[in-house]
Amino acid sequence: MSRQRLLVIGGDAGGMSAAAQARRIRGEDELEVVVLEQGEDTSFSACGIPYWVGGLVGGRGDLVARTPEEHRRRGIQVHTGTRAEAVDLDACRVTAADGRTFDYDHLLIATGGRPTRPPIEGLDAPGVFGVHRLDDGERIRAAIDALPSDRPGRAVVLGGGYIGLEMAEVLQHRGLSVDVVLADPLPMGLLDADMGERVCAAMRGMGMGVHTDQAVREVLRDADGRACGVRTDQGTYDADLVVLGLGMGPEARLAEAAGLGIGVTGGIDVDATMRSRTHENVFAAGDCVQTYHHLTGEPAHVALGTHANKQGRVAGSVIAGRPARFAGVLGTALTKVGDLEIGRTGLCTTQAETAGFDFRTDVVEGTTRAGYYPGAEEIAVKLITESGSGRLLGGQVLGGQGAGKRVDVLATAIWGRMTAEELSESDLSYAPPFSPTYDVVAVAARVVSRAERG
Amino acid sequence: MSRQRLLVIGGDAGGMSAAAQARRIRGEDELEVVVLEQGEDTSFSACGIPYWVGGLVGGRGDLVARTPEEHRRRGIQVHTGTRAEAVDLDACRVTAADGRTFDYDHLLIATGGRPTRPPIEGLDAPGVFGVHRLDDGERIRAAIDALPSDRPGRAVVLGGGYIGLEMAEVLQHRGLSVDVVLADPLPMGLLDADMGERVCAAMRGMGMGVHTDQAVREVLRDADGRACGVRTDQGTYDADLVVLGLGMGPEARLAEAAGLGIGVTGGIDVDATMRSRTHENVFAAGDCVQTYHHLTGEPAHVALGTHANKQGRVAGSVIAGRPARFAGVLGTALTKVGDLEIGRTGLCTTQAETAGFDFRTDVVEGTTRAGYYPGAEEIAVKLITESGSGRLLGGQVLGGQGAGKRVDVLATAIWGRMTAEELSESDLSYAPPFSPTYDVVAVAARVVSRAERG
């Protein structure tokens, strides 16, 4: 076989995982691996930006898992500052913004996610910040440093998903007063309402303003054209900074313009090998793709570095000739706001309804440690379970330190198609510093299985 | 049906769970529930004793989940200070130490565990303490309070299982210098040696003496006959207190003397409904029974409140006429010493060998949080996996805060008969304050599945 070229568009998690995996399997004499990255960084942790802004992480470099130079030393040709402008699927050629062209045998598109930006007047004003790339973090940090010193700074965060919550937390941590403005009735829309209410109460308990069910009409600007507040259908909120946490869709414009098939979620339509369903030498990975739900098989879009890494590795394997499949997602998510840890996995009530399941929901409260052990904190577990079969469909966990990671037990049980009864019988660990005699996850499962037996 | 009587011997986890469950299902007009308890407490947490000694738990009462009076208010007749001396299985009658007799229709034996006490000279001396009942905790606390104030106190802990480790930790926390003396080559015998070595190193790093591979010859006594040291085949260790953490066997002497079948582990031989295999109206639950391993089906003895509770509930259900089964144990255990959290589940290497599995072991190191996030600590995960099938057989986890409870993910995966590949694909949570992009548990599973594919 003559030497082939894998061309990768996008040098973050999905793209670099694919590049590295293909390189691991095929030597440079067999496969040339070329990456086009529009920015200056590769393999960076966008998820770490809030904590960098919050001063918990030392520097920008800490968020870069592997630099372009490190990739190059591993035999991957990385072109930073090189934005792919067009893909010619027939000619197998990509044209960059600077006019250079790159031919390929295999193409991997990893253009990532696109932060949701509704058509609101003033959203492009200086002082309005996304939380997407490391430069965004740099800009927010600079804006905080430039705040007037004669009064506390004020921030408005638009959106109550996990980026919104994390930014609200770190901005407060940096001394700003924070208002979170949501179009939804509650923060964390992937939780059921009863659990979302607890999150909302915790945020208010931290002293944040949480303004729900409000449609943003305008970002207000001062005489210099700089953002100075947000006007909604119900009020006006002053701001030195406006931060966007309105969610993330797939960035599939380049793929779509080239004529690649796009799925119902707006992501690039790929099969479980990450291969385009319409063009067999084109693959895609990461936040730009449409993936599928492990439980239902339904199309899904979840922007998360973990999936991007796995998908990239699958694509890289397949391109290099080794079989691999991506097994789908459960929508597991974990975050925190203040001392409240928030985890969810599988189907929430709305998703279970949409998927047509006959199901029940149960909420159980407990403590994170033995009740008598110092630092025992409240924890609530909600389970969504298929009626009749008792099969676990989804779970949500809220509580103090140690609560959040318990969602992994639920994710594992759901992944393994276990029933609530099986989970209740399973041998989960017990020691006073870590849980009561029965971990609350097992208690919740027992409550379900007892109810299911009638 | 005429009113029947359930007689329960032993008022701790196993006994009271059975009593309470039977009472829940059957009213007092149908079933009389009578409990004989030799001590003054019911439903207490022996697992909490170390932390009470350590001053982390306020008082003795905090360790009592439910007092005799609370049980009585729920329609259970509790006789404290009443030690069952003999059981007449033919006459269905129990005789107490004070000569009273109690007839029964159903008998539940929950006599608990018996701390291992090897025949060592001086082991009965004042100043030698078990860690079994609340009175033990009281006595240790009194002994610490009575220590001379002109020099630091000294404790020798015999045994390096979890009670030994926890007692060593809390005694050090109370200001004593601590020597741990083991017959085994390493502490935590249910870990593989490579993991046990890490525990040993951590204990030494805390400033404890850890003296392994030493046979205790004698507890030394002062002129008053009080313990003042421990002599082994290799040395002598001064002590104001000697604490026994040599493990726990089943306390089945009463059952054995009555003629009940005893299993190979020394525990009462019961089926999965907790019914004696030799006497159909006799049940047993808790640390006194022989149970079975969920993976192998082999007989097992594990002394743990969680199992006692579950087994008691199963027995109470079955006695009350409702079908129930105990699903066995994986031997999941969790503890900590200092800042090192220690979890294990399923089969360790020795157990996998004994069970005849063809297996592989893999150890993976990582961090508990994203490497750049404050408080990220080291974590090591060891997996034992069946060769060929890739089925998970066992797991061990060591590391800093947040490491230990990850053993529950492994316990759940093993319970659900998942393969390493399935676990590696599963959707475990990610957020920088909680784990790196891939949780180390998933990384370990991936390493195994990659190696298995060859």
Side-chain angles (χ1 to χ4, degrees):
Chain A
M1 154 170 129
S2 68
R3 192 179 189 221
Q4 295 198 318
R5 176 188 279 174
L6 164 60
L7 184 64
V8 174
I9 301 177
D12 196 8
M16 294 319 303
S17 295
Q21 178 71 351
R23 171 53 66 239
R24 251 179 241 122
I25 300 174
R26 295 281 166 210
E28 294 185 55
D29 53 329
E30 291 182 318
L31 186 73
E32 188 185 17
V33 181
V34 179
V35 178
L36 312 182
E37 163 56 38
Q38 62 178 320
E40 295 307 318
D41 301 302
T42 51
S43 305
F44 62 92
S45 171
C47 318
I49 294 173
Y51 304 106
W52 177 36
V53 169
L56 294 165
V57 175
R60 178 175 178 140
D62 292 330
L63 298 187
V64 177
R66 205 168 276 179
T67 63
E69 195 45 46
E70 288 170 311
H71 285 297
R72 286 183 192 118
R73 281 202 292 272
R74 287 173 168 82
I76 297 168
Q77 300 169 37
V78 182
H79 300 274
T80 54
T82 304
R83 181 179 169 82
E85 280 271 296
V87 180
D88 184 333
L89 295 169
D90 296 323
C92 296
R93 176 172 300 165
V94 171
T95 304
D98 59 11
R100 279 185 296 170
T101 60
F102 299 85
D103 293 339
Y104 63 82
D105 299 288
H106 313 276
L107 178 66
L108 184 285
I109 301 180
T111 40
R114 177 151 49 120
T116 304
R117 291 178 71 91
I120 294 167
E121 199 187 321
L123 208 67
D124 292 324
V128 181
F129 302 95
V131 189
H132 182 38
R133 303 184 65 86
L134 296 187
D135 287 343
D136 295 325
E138 199 90 73
R139 281 190 282 262
I140 299 173
R141 287 172 58 90
I144 294 172
D145 291 341
L147 283 172
S149 58
D150 56 338
R151 60 164 178 81
R154 293 162 309 199
V156 170
V157 175
L158 300 185
Y162 62 91
I163 290 287
L165 260 64
E166 289 163 6
M167 288 305 300
E169 173 183 316
V170 300
L171 291 168
Q172 192 182 55
H173 182 72
R174 290 291 301 268
L176 284 77
S177 71
V178 175
D179 285 289
V180 181
V181 175
L182 328 177
D184 295 323
L186 287 166
M188 292 302 285
L190 287 170
L191 297 178
D192 283 359
D194 55 334
M195 301 300 264
E197 279 165 10
R198 296 171 191 239
V199 174
C200 193
M203 294 170 72
R204 287 182 173 141
M206 293 169 69
M208 296 174 183
V210 185
H211 312 285
T212 58
D213 272 325
Q214 302 203 6
V216 175
R217 298 297 190 208
E218 183 187 0
V219 173
L220 303 171
R221 282 148 291 176
D222 63 16
D224 299 330
R226 201 180 156 75
C228 64
V230 169
R231 182 172 63 80
T232 74
D233 57 354
Q234 291 173 53
T236 297
Y237 308 97
D238 292 340
D240 300 300
L241 282 74
V242 176
V243 174
L244 304 182
L246 294 165
M248 184 82 80
E251 174 55 274
R253 286 176 293 187
L254 180 69
E256 191 169 11
L260 271 184
I262 302 296
V264 294
T265 63
I268 299 170
D269 191 15
V270 294
D271 64 19
T273 71
M274 308 313 295
R275 188 193 297 271
S276 161
R277 291 190 200 272
T278 59
H279 292 77
E280 68 173 4
N281 66 336
V282 180
F283 293 74
D287 296 356
C288 64
V289 303
Q290 170 169 299
T291 184
Y292 65 102
H293 200 284
H294 180 76
L295 267 189
T296 63
E298 289 291 314
H301 177 260
V302 176
L304 193 71
T306 314
H307 302 320
N309 270 313
K310 286 184 191 171
Q311 291 166 348
R313 186 172 290 112
V314 166
S317 290
V318 173
I319 290 164
R322 182 184 291 177
R325 291 171 56 81
F326 181 69
V329 301
L330 288 179
T332 306
L334 177 59
T335 188
K336 66 188 270 296
V337 59
D339 295 326
L340 183 70
E341 301 184 358
I342 305 162
R344 61 90 62 214
T345 186
L347 306 177
C348 63
T349 291
T350 315
Q351 291 171 321
E353 281 167 359
T354 304
F357 282 103
D358 181 12
F359 64 96
R360 56 177 295 129
T361 66
D362 297 84
V363 179
V364 168
E365 319 228 353
T367 54
T368 52
R369 304 175 175 185
Y372 56 75
Y373 195 88
E377 298 190 56
E378 290 180 1
I379 176 172
V381 174
K382 182 167 191 171
L383 296 182
I384 287 93
T385 319
E386 189 178 34
S387 302
S389 75
R391 185 158 68 106
L392 292 162
L393 300 175
Q396 296 163 44
V397 182
L398 292 184
Q401 189 182 69
K405 259 290 176 185
R406 274 155 160 109
V407 79
D408 282 355
V409 174
L410 298 175
T412 304
I414 294 171
W415 196 269
R417 313 244 158 191
M418 286 169 70
T419 65
E421 184 165 9
E422 286 168 330
L423 180 59
S424 77
E425 291 174 339
S426 74
D427 191 353
L428 300 183
S429 61
Y430 160 55
F434 302 99
S435 66
T437 314
Y438 280 102
D439 195 280
V440 62
V441 167
V443 174
R446 196 177 69 205
V447 165
V448 175
S449 75
R450 196 184 283 168
E452 271 293 305
R453 284 161 162 237
Chain B
M1 150 172 132
S2 69
R3 191 179 189 221
Q4 295 199 318
R5 177 188 279 173
L6 163 61
L7 184 64
V8 175
I9 301 177
D12 197 9
M16 295 317 304
S17 295
Q21 178 70 352
R23 173 52 67 240
R24 250 179 241 124
I25 300 174
R26 295 281 166 210
E28 294 186 55
D29 53 329
E30 293 181 316
L31 186 73
E32 189 185 16
V33 181
V34 179
V35 177
L36 312 183
E37 163 56 37
Q38 61 178 322
E40 295 307 318
D41 300 303
T42 51
S43 304
F44 62 92
S45 171
C47 318
I49 293 173
Y51 305 106
W52 178 36
V53 170
L56 294 166
V57 176
R60 178 176 178 140
D62 291 331
L63 299 187
V64 177
R66 204 170 275 181
T67 64
E69 194 45 45
E70 288 170 311
H71 285 297
R72 287 184 191 116
R73 281 202 293 272
R74 287 172 168 82
I76 297 168
Q77 299 169 38
V78 182
H79 300 272
T80 55
T82 304
R83 181 180 168 81
E85 280 272 297
V87 179
D88 184 333
L89 295 169
D90 296 323
C92 296
R93 177 172 299 165
V94 172
T95 304
D98 59 11
R100 278 185 297 170
T101 61
F102 298 85
D103 294 339
Y104 63 81
D105 299 287
H106 312 277
L107 179 65
L108 185 283
I109 301 180
T111 40
R114 177 149 50 119
T116 303
R117 288 178 73 91
I120 295 168
E121 199 186 321
L123 207 67
D124 292 324
V128 181
F129 302 94
V131 190
H132 182 38
R133 302 183 65 85
L134 296 187
D135 287 344
D136 295 326
E138 199 90 73
R139 281 190 283 263
I140 300 173
R141 288 173 57 91
I144 295 172
D145 291 342
L147 284 172
S149 58
D150 57 337
R151 60 165 178 80
R154 293 162 310 200
V156 170
V157 175
L158 300 184
Y162 62 93
I163 289 287
L165 260 62
E166 288 164 6
M167 287 306 300
E169 173 183 317
V170 300
L171 290 167
Q172 192 181 57
H173 182 71
R174 290 292 300 270
L176 284 78
S177 71
V178 176
D179 284 291
V180 181
V181 176
L182 328 178
D184 296 323
L186 287 167
M188 293 301 286
L190 288 170
L191 297 178
D192 283 0
D194 55 336
M195 300 300 263
E197 278 165 12
R198 295 171 191 240
V199 175
C200 193
M203 293 169 71
R204 288 182 173 141
M206 293 170 68
M208 295 174 183
V210 185
H211 312 285
T212 58
D213 273 325
Q214 303 204 6
V216 176
R217 298 298 190 209
E218 182 187 0
V219 172
L220 304 171
R221 281 149 291 178
D222 63 18
D224 300 331
R226 201 180 156 74
C228 65
V230 169
R231 182 172 63 80
T232 74
D233 58 354
Q234 291 174 53
T236 296
Y237 307 97
D238 294 338
D240 301 298
L241 283 73
V242 176
V243 174
L244 305 182
L246 294 165
M248 182 83 79
E251 176 54 275
R253 286 177 293 188
L254 180 70
E256 191 168 12
L260 271 183
I262 301 296
V264 294
T265 63
I268 300 171
D269 191 15
V270 294
D271 64 18
T273 72
M274 309 313 297
R275 188 193 297 270
S276 161
R277 290 190 201 272
T278 58
H279 292 78
E280 67 172 4
N281 66 336
V282 180
F283 293 75
D287 296 356
C288 63
V289 304
Q290 170 169 299
T291 184
Y292 66 102
H293 199 284
H294 180 76
L295 267 189
T296 63
E298 289 292 314
H301 178 260
V302 176
L304 193 71
T306 313
H307 302 320
N309 270 314
K310 285 184 190 170
Q311 291 166 348
R313 185 171 291 112
V314 166
S317 290
V318 174
I319 290 166
R322 181 186 289 178
R325 291 172 57 81
F326 181 68
V329 302
L330 287 179
T332 307
L334 178 59
T335 188
K336 66 189 268 297
V337 60
D339 295 328
L340 184 69
E341 301 184 357
I342 305 161
R344 59 91 60 216
T345 186
L347 306 177
C348 64
T349 291
T350 315
Q351 292 171 320
E353 281 167 0
T354 304
F357 282 102
D358 181 13
F359 65 95
R360 56 177 293 128
T361 66
D362 297 85
V363 179
V364 167
E365 318 229 354
T367 54
T368 51
R369 304 176 175 184
Y372 56 76
Y373 195 89
E377 297 189 58
E378 289 180 2
I379 175 171
V381 174
K382 181 166 191 172
L383 295 182
I384 287 94
T385 318
E386 188 177 34
S387 300
S389 75
R391 186 159 66 107
L392 293 163
L393 300 175
Q396 297 163 43
V397 182
L398 292 184
Q401 189 182 67
K405 259 290 177 184
R406 275 158 160 106
V407 79
D408 283 355
V409 173
L410 298 175
T412 304
I414 294 170
W415 196 269
R417 313 240 158 194
M418 286 168 70
T419 65
E421 183 165 11
E422 286 168 331
L423 180 59
S424 77
E425 291 173 338
S426 74
D427 191 354
L428 299 184
S429 61
Y430 159 55
F434 302 100
S435 66
T437 314
Y438 279 101
D439 195 281
V440 63
V441 167
V443 174
R446 195 177 70 204
V447 166
V448 175
S449 75
R450 196 185 283 168
E452 272 293 305
R453 284 162 163 236

